[in-house]
Amino acid sequence: MSFTIATAHPDDAAALGPLHLANWLQNYPRADVGVDESWIREQRGSSATPEGIAQWREFIEVANQHPSPHFCRVVRSGAEIVGYLCGHWEESITLGPMYLLGCAQGHGLGDRLMAEFFTWAGPARIRLRVADHNERAIRFSLRHGFEMAGERYPWRGRMPTLPMIREASATADPRRVRP
């Protein structure tokens, strides 16, 4: 199976919205804290609706402007999207969401996506959040220079979440302002 990483195209929104929801349904249920299919659909189900897909399309359109406050890359296997990494700049840089289907894992694609994201982000501080039970994502983030940055908290009142930070490099220009 061959994979390509590409800048997301606005038409990819139709696949990204449902893939985002499917990722959550597959990876984040936790009966012990009340994170079940119903809660996930309530919190993330809108990404697969026409309105959610329109929001994905808008995000991608902005990400394709230069310079852009958004970042979005997709991983393709043929015509099918099998992964993505997005991020944005508001007051700081946030990484996420990021996801690879099982068929795309173990091929170095996550590392390649992170390299592209780090190039876009420059030397700035980057934050992300990860479900506390997603040990694979935690190990991946640690390997890429992120550190735990606080206590576990319940995202939207339920999902046990860990904040992580990758500090700005020593060569970061504090006056640098992203668009």
Side-chain angles (χ1 to χ4, degrees):
M1 187 174 284
S2 81
F3 302 98
T4 58
I5 296 175
T7 300
H9 185 275
D11 290 342
D12 293 334
L16 287 177
L19 184 59
H20 187 69
L21 175 59
N23 167 39
W24 272 77
L25 290 170
Q26 179 181 14
N27 293 294
Y28 296 115
R30 288 223 19 213
D32 63 319
V33 293
V35 176
D36 57 12
E37 180 178 347
S38 174
W39 187 84
I40 290 170
R41 288 188 182 281
E42 179 182 310
Q43 301 301 317
R44 289 295 184 216
S46 65
S47 68
T49 65
E51 295 82 15
I53 291 169
Q55 288 175 346
W56 272 101
R57 176 179 284 280
E58 182 180 330
F59 183 91
I60 293 166
E61 288 171 348
V62 171
N64 289 340
Q65 298 171 6
H66 297 285
S68 177
H70 300 320
F71 175 90
C72 193
R73 298 291 185 274
V74 294
V75 178
R76 299 181 196 283
S77 176
E80 181 184 7
I81 295 176
V82 295
Y84 55 90
L85 187 152
C86 298
H88 63 275
W89 171 269
E90 287 175 354
E91 295 171 9
S92 63
I93 294 178
T94 301
L95 185 154
M98 179 179 182
Y99 180 65
L100 291 170
L101 292 175
C103 67
Q105 294 177 8
H107 298 279
L109 296 164
D111 294 335
R112 289 176 45 206
L113 284 168
M114 288 295 273
E116 288 194 28
F117 182 77
F118 290 154
T119 296
W120 172 81
R125 181 180 202 214
I126 303 169
R127 63 187 177 93
L128 63 82
R129 65 176 187 253
V130 62
D132 76 340
H133 67 282
N134 192 340
E135 292 177 20
R136 187 173 187 168
I138 293 169
R139 283 191 312 272
F140 178 83
S141 299
L142 290 169
R143 190 164 47 88
H144 285 280
F146 289 87
E147 298 176 350
M148 299 301 172
E151 298 295 317
R152 178 176 84 158
Y153 66 95
W155 181 78
R156 295 201 177 168
R158 289 196 194 169
M159 174 66 77
T161 302
L162 296 169
M164 298 183 80
I165 297 286
R166 182 175 189 254
E167 291 296 343
S169 71
T171 60
D173 180 348
R175 298 168 297 174
R176 180 174 183 220
V177 178
R178 294 215 36 104

